[in-house]
Amino acid sequence: MLTCEQALRQAAAAIGGDSPRLDAELLLARVTGWSRTSFRAWPERELADEAAEHFAVLVSQRANGTPVAHLLGEQGFWSLTLQVNPSTLIPRPDTECLVEAALALPLPGAARVIDLGTGTGAIALALASERPQWQVMACDAVADAAELARRNACALGLPLEVVVSHWFADLPPGRFDLIISNPPYIRRDDHHLQQGDVRFEPSTALVAGDDGLDDLRVIIAESPDWLQPAGWLVVEHGYDQGEAVRQLFAAAGFTAVATRRDYGGQERLTLGCWPERQVGADDAPRPISHRESSDAE
């Protein structure tokens, strides 16, 4: 019989990649019901043959590239555990930066919020968990993804209205104090699409045209029609798209445009405020320079 430590070492060697030991521990915890801490406390604990066989199957799947989140059927995000499936993206830690940015904004106590392209519901549900007085809505163009978000809301006991809509196309009339989105922003020819977990995720949730900006252009251009005066737009984007996205915000008439960095120090999200009055040609906001608007806080 294998001990936990032997099983984990063999699994990590087979899995490879960036975090093989972590992946192996997560899979073994699922098979055995034991905590990851226990593997360190009692490395000599032996695995039953049935558990070892089940673990070997999961390790083989992971070694072939299947994401751990798909093998477990869940993924942690913020303080939540979310169900995941291949119909949408697996929530990433860096997307938590959007939640942090939104929570820091000067919004009304009962702010109306919408998460565009919600997927698992990660952003919307994180906001709802932190601000129960907010009225949070979410939408996704994929019906299966919208249903997944509803299931997650129900499982977590959080109120969330989910609509099937491609961005704003089928939303009910109304205006929001905050529009937030992690849209597709990868270029069609990006070599990363052939690497890692993204190989198992829907391309429609990843790819946005030749330059990766197609969906961001739509969201930024149309958001003013859906924002309250002094409302905010917050979007995630690629590490090398900050300058282009800031220019899109400025061209649409947003003020207080700023780009924030993710946990790895890369430009990852841009936000802007819709002014309380329409600016005229003489006082339109000037383009935001990289030095001024890139926020390394």
Side-chain angles (χ1 to χ4, degrees), residues 108-218:
R112 294 193 72 234
V113 177
I114 186 161
D115 173 20
L116 300 177
T118 194
T120 61
I123 295 171
L125 291 170
L127 294 176
S129 73
E130 296 289 340
R131 297 288 188 271
Q133 70 274 28
W134 285 3
Q135 304 170 56
V136 184
M137 177 185 291
C139 74
D140 202 286
V142 178
D144 286 347
E147 181 56 32
L148 178 61
R150 293 189 190 101
R151 290 202 303 273
N152 277 321
C154 183
L156 294 166
L158 293 170
L160 181 65
E161 180 182 357
V162 185
V163 178
V164 177
S165 176
H166 181 63
W167 308 135
F168 302 101
D170 295 307
L171 294 184
R175 288 184 179 267
F176 299 93
D177 300 292
L178 169 65
I179 297 172
I180 191 165
S181 182
N182 175 19
Y185 54 75
I186 298 178
R187 288 183 288 273
R188 197 189 316 277
D189 61 354
D190 194 309
H191 69 278
H192 293 99
L193 293 169
Q194 308 305 319
Q195 301 174 358
D197 289 357
V198 297
R199 293 172 296 162
F200 295 82
E201 296 176 294
S203 62
T204 54
L206 295 164
V207 178
D210 292 339
D211 62 359
L213 296 172
D214 284 3
D215 290 305
L216 284 161
R217 289 189 183 95
V218 172

Side-chain angles (χ1 to χ4, degrees), residues 32 48 69 72 83 119 138 165 170 226 232 266:
T32 61
L72 300 178
Q83 301 173 42
S165 176
D170 295 307
W226 295 85
W232 289 82
Q266 302 283 1

Side-chain angles (χ1 to χ4, degrees), residues 3 10 16 18 21 28 44 65 86 89 97 99 101-102 112 127 134 176 186 200 203 212 222 234 237 246 265-266 279:
T3 66
Q10 292 177 14
D18 296 331
R21 176 74 183 208
L28 189 58
E44 74 284 355
L89 292 185
C97 296
V99 178
R112 294 193 72 234
L127 294 176
W134 285 3
F176 299 93
I186 298 178
F200 295 82
S203 62
E222 296 185 8
V234 182
H237 53 71
R246 288 191 293 274
Q266 302 283 1
V279 294

Side-chain angles (χ1 to χ4, degrees), residues 16-33:
D18 296 331
S19 56
R21 176 74 183 208
L22 173 60
D23 293 353
E25 289 183 357
L26 290 170
L27 296 176
L28 189 58
R30 169 54 58 88
V31 168
T32 61

